[in-house]
Amino acid sequence: MNLLLKSILDECRHYTAQGNVATYIPQLAKVDPNKLGIYVITEGLYDSFAGDCFDRFTMQSVVKTMILLQALMDSGIEKVRGLVGVEATGKPFDTFNYSDQALTGANINPMVNTGAIALCTLIRGDTYEEKFQRLLGLTRLLADDPDLQVDESVYRSEQETGNKNRALAYMLKAYGMIHDPVEEILDCYFRACSILVNCRDLARIGLVFAHHGRDPKTGKRHFAPELARYVNATLATCGMYDGSGEFALEVGFPAKSGVGGGIMGVIPKRMGIGVFAPALDKHGNSKAGVQVLARLSRELDLGIF
Ligand code: DON
C-alpha cells in the first residue's frame, strides 16, 4: 500500500505547479507550494502513508466539519437545520452574491463561510473562548492527538485581514440569524481555522466519520450515527464548494477541503484519508490533492455512488 501511495504521489506531483497557494490570508502565502503528502487508514486499520504526510498545516475549512459536528452534538439536528440549510450553493465559499435572495438559512449550508460562522453560535459555552475550547477538544479527541494547537501567526493574520468574513458575519446579524457579538463569534471561527494538523490527523478524524461516530481503533463511540450521517451527507454535496459535483463524479466519496491545502476523505464503513498539497485550484481546493484522491479512488474502488 505504501508503494501504491508513493507511485500515486509521483504521478500527481506535477499538479502542484498548476495551482496557487492562498494569498488572501498573508501568512498562508509563505507555505511551500511543492509539498505533497497522504495518509490512509485502510480496512483492517492499517496505516499507510507517503510524502509530506507529517508536515503540519492549518485546517482552514476542514474545521467546518468539526464546527458542524459540535453544533449538532450541543444543540441537536433540529436547531442546526433551522439555522443553516443543507443545499449546495454552487457559489464560492466566501460568496456575497445573495443579491437575488434574502439571506436565509435555506440558501446557505454548513460548508460555506457564512454557514460555519452562524453554526459557531450553536456550540455550547458561556463564552466564545469556552466554545472554541470545546471545538479544539473534540478535534483533539477525534484526531487522537491531545497536542493539537493553534498556529498563532495564521490566526493573527486572519484576524487582521478577514474583513470579508467580518462582512459576512454582519450580514448574518443584519438578517437576524445571529445575535451574539460578531467579533467574538469570528474570533472562535478564525482560531478554529488556524488549528494545525497533519495528514494523519485528518485520516484519523475521517476514520471516525467513516465509522459513524465510533473510533474503530479505540472502540470508543464519540457521537451518534445519525450525526455522522448528517455530516457525511453534507460533505458529499457541499464539502468541495462549487467543485463538489465534479468531485463526486471524479472521486466519489464525502470529503472536505481547506485553503491550507488539506483534504479529509471519508469512505463510509471503510477508511479515513488525509491529503496535503497547498497549491489550490480555482475553487480553493488542493489541486494535486484532488488528483491524488481521484487516482486512489479508481485504484481501490472507493466511490460510493
Ligand atoms: O475563512 C476563510 O476564508 C478561511 N479561514 C477558510 C476558507 C477555506 O478554507 C476555504 N477552503 N477551501
Side-chain angles (χ1 to χ4, degrees):
M1 183 71 172
N2 282 351
L3 281 180
L4 170 68
L5 295 182
K6 188 177 174 312
S7 81
I8 290 177
L9 292 197
D10 289 342
E11 251 179 69
C12 294
R13 196 166 297 283
H14 67 282
Y15 286 107
T16 59
Q18 292 179 24
N20 296 297
V21 298
T23 51
Y24 76 101
I25 301 168
Q27 203 62 25
L28 289 185
K30 298 181 180 165
V31 175
D32 177 356
N34 302 311
K35 294 280 180 187
L36 182 60
I38 184 164
Y39 198 104
V40 180
I41 307 176
T42 58
E43 285 146 318
L45 306 180
Y46 297 112
D47 289 31
S48 304
F49 43 86
D52 303 308
C53 60
F54 296 110
D55 281 32
R56 295 214 172 253
F57 51 90
T58 52
M59 286 183 94
Q60 297 301 333
S61 284
V62 183
V63 85
K64 287 172 175 153
T65 316
M66 304 306 304
I67 293 174
L68 172 59
L69 175 63
Q70 189 74 74
L72 285 166
M73 289 170 80
D74 289 353
S75 295
I77 287 179
E78 210 176 311
K79 274 212 171 125
V80 166
R81 189 80 188 267
L83 182 62
V84 174
V86 290
E87 299 303 334
T89 64
K91 297 192 176 105
F93 61 86
D94 56 354
T95 189
F96 275 95
N97 186 15
Y98 297 108
S99 54
D100 55 340
Q101 325 158 289
L103 176 57
T104 67
N107 54 46
I108 57 173
N109 68 60
M111 298 300 139
V112 293
N113 292 11
T114 322
I117 292 166
L119 287 178
C120 287
T121 65
L122 294 188
I123 296 173
R124 187 156 20 99
D126 290 337
T127 63
Y128 275 85
E129 165 64 23
E130 261 185 50
K131 291 177 202 267
F132 171 71
Q133 289 303 332
R134 278 181 72 66
L135 197 57
L136 179 61
L138 183 65
T139 309
R140 286 173 170 167
L141 186 72
L142 299 198
D144 189 33
D145 186 346
D147 297 325
L148 292 186
Q149 301 292 348
V150 166
D151 183 322
E152 290 296 328
S153 62
V154 172
Y155 159 61
R156 273 195 302 276
S157 191
E158 288 214 53
Q159 214 16 306
E160 280 160 19
T161 59
N163 289 322
K164 211 165 174 191
N165 281 322
R166 222 158 251 128
L168 292 174
Y170 276 105
M171 259 176 44
L172 285 167
K173 191 142 187 161
Y175 281 90
M177 291 179 61
I178 57 172
H179 307 285
D180 293 342
V182 162
E183 285 303 330
E184 288 179 35
I185 302 171
L186 283 173
D187 195 66
C188 174
Y189 172 75
F190 289 142
R191 279 212 277 165
C193 288
S194 306
I195 296 172
L196 281 166
V197 289
N198 59 27
C199 292
R200 190 213 71 100
D201 297 320
L202 294 189
R204 207 70 179 73
I205 298 171
L207 186 74
V208 181
F209 281 109
H211 287 267
H212 293 136
R214 187 178 150 276
D215 183 338
K217 288 219 180 210
T218 62
K220 283 191 196 137
R221 170 160 296 286
H222 296 307
F223 52 93
E226 60 177 337
L227 304 190
R229 278 196 291 275
Y230 196 109
V231 175
N232 293 346
T234 310
L235 296 188
T237 52
C238 312
M240 305 298 282
Y241 306 112
D242 46 337
S244 297
E246 204 177 320
F247 188 87
L249 286 179
E250 298 298 326
V251 185
F253 51 76
K256 183 74 207 86
S257 61
V259 293
I263 303 178
M264 179 182 80
V266 177
I267 325 299
K269 300 188 180 147
R270 294 178 65 186
M271 300 185 198
I273 303 177
V275 193
F276 169 53
L280 309 175
D281 66 16
K282 63 176 191 258
H283 305 295
N285 298 325
S286 169
K287 178 83 188 178
V290 171
Q291 294 300 326
V292 165
L293 292 177
R295 275 173 181 68
L296 188 67
S297 181
R298 282 198 291 275
E299 282 291 330
L300 302 179
D301 194 19
L302 302 180
I304 64 167
F305 297 111

